């Protein structure tokens, strides 16, 4: 229901803007300008929705993603360093390194969102590998730790 209210407010706001633009450049009465602005808004929203549907239809289902946990990162590593490291093993969509809220310093772990087909390969290649004089811990983000790998990071 909230999104319908927001859409309605957006349509009215755009219609008012359209009415103002029409009234500035022509001598039409405000009611007609408002009606023209509302009709043009409706057409614009209709075509935007069609384009959105076309884009969604073109998306490749094989482009699903997985989020990987990356632990024991060097504190000086930044998002672009980690993205470049993982990009060697597949498509990287996003990197988020965690920071301490109080100090703003990096905490030594983060998350990498990758193409799900490439994620397993990246885990195999990068888990327990040295990076920046530290041994990386890489696994699927929501995967529980095994009892034998409860080492402190």
């Amino acid at each position: 229901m909230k999104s319908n209210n927001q859409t309605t407010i957006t349509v009215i706001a755009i219609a008012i803007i359209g009415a103002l633009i029409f009234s500035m450049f022509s001598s039409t009465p405000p009611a007609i300008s408002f009606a023209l602005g509302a009709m043009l808004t409706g057409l614009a929203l209709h075509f935007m929705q069609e384009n959105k549907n076309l884009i969604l239809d073109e998306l490749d289902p094989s482009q699903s993603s997985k989020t990987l946990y990356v632990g024991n990162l060097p504190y000086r590593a930044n998002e672009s360093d980690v993205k470049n490291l993982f990009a060697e093993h597949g498509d990287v969509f996003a990197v988020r390194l965690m920071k301490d809220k109080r100090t703003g310093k990096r905490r030594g772990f983060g998350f990498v969102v990758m193409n799900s087909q490439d994620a397993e390969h990246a885990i195999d290649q990068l888990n327990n590998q040295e990076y920046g004089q530290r041994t990386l811990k890489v696994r699927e983000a929501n995967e529980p730790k095994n009892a034998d790998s409860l080492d402190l990071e």
Side-chain angles (χ1 to χ4, degrees):
M1 188 75 173
K2 188 174 184 178
S3 65
N4 286 342
N5 288 340
Q6 288 176 335
T7 304
T8 304
I9 291 170
T10 303
V11 168
I12 292 171
I14 293 173
I16 291 171
I17 291 170
L20 291 173
I21 291 171
F22 276 115
S23 65
M24 288 171 56
F25 295 112
S26 69
S27 61
T28 58
I32 294 173
S33 296
F34 183 81
L36 288 172
M39 288 190 306
L40 289 176
T41 300
L43 286 172
L45 289 175
H46 174 74
F47 287 114
M48 287 171 38
Q49 185 65 33
E50 280 184 9
N51 288 342
K52 181 180 173 185
N53 290 339
L54 288 174
I55 291 169
L56 291 176
D57 290 342
E58 291 174 1
L59 287 178
D60 186 6
S62 66
Q63 289 293 325
S64 61
S65 64
K66 277 190 182 177
T67 302
L68 304 180
Y69 165 83
V70 185
N72 207 27
L73 283 166
Y75 294 107
R76 67 182 179 276
N78 59 34
E79 281 86 356
S80 64
D81 294 336
V82 175
K83 183 174 184 172
N84 292 337
L85 175 67
F86 278 81
E88 295 173 11
H89 304 285
D91 292 334
V92 177
F93 301 131
V95 175
R96 172 115 169 120
L97 301 182
M98 299 297 109
K99 293 181 179 180
D100 184 88
K101 288 181 184 178
R102 198 168 37 88
T103 64
K105 294 182 180 179
R106 291 189 182 89
R107 297 182 61 198
F109 73 95
F111 300 93
V112 176
V113 180
M114 296 187 71
N115 183 327
S116 59
Q117 294 175 342
D118 300 329
E120 290 301 321
H121 176 70
I123 291 170
D124 293 340
Q125 295 297 312
L126 295 173
N127 190 37
N128 293 321
Q129 296 300 313
E130 190 170 312
Y131 176 70
Q133 300 176 340
R134 301 195 64 167
T135 304
L136 293 179
K137 302 294 180 188
V138 182
R139 64 177 178 265
E140 195 170 338
N142 292 326
E143 183 178 283
K145 289 184 179 180
N146 295 335
D148 59 351
S149 66
L150 288 177
D151 54 338
L152 295 174
E153 297 180 18

